[in-house]
Amino acid sequence: MRDKDKEYLQNFGANLKKIREGKGFTQAQLAIDSDLDISYISRIENGKISPSLIYITHIADALNVDIKQLVALQ
């Protein structure tokens, strides 16, 4: 994995966490509402994995945000 790719994953994870916390969601609640495992949410937020577009859509729907908000580069 390229260094830039790692940076993108870390930025995405940090952005997800910021939005999730801003909406008052715990990782557990987001996992339930997005039909994903809590450990998967944690690994995304920690920049450890690259979620598929389908899972990004599930997360965006659960948080009631546009996908663009989740993938905004910092």
Side-chain angles (χ1 to χ4, degrees), residues 4-62:
K4 196 67 170 170
D5 294 339
K6 291 177 186 177
E7 183 181 332
Y8 290 144
L9 290 178
Q10 289 170 344
N11 285 340
F12 180 81
N15 198 36
L16 170 58
K17 183 176 182 177
K18 179 180 173 184
I19 292 170
R20 176 183 60 76
E21 289 177 341
K23 295 213 171 241
F25 279 72
T26 63
Q27 284 184 345
Q29 187 61 48
L30 178 56
I32 290 166
D33 290 356
S34 61
D35 200 28
L36 298 170
D37 191 86
I38 188 172
S39 66
Y40 191 78
I41 299 295
S42 177
R43 290 186 311 226
I44 294 170
E45 287 187 358
N46 288 306
K48 302 293 182 190
I49 58 171
S50 176
S52 72
L53 179 57
I54 296 299
Y55 291 159
I56 292 171
T57 301
H58 289 209
I59 292 166
D61 288 347

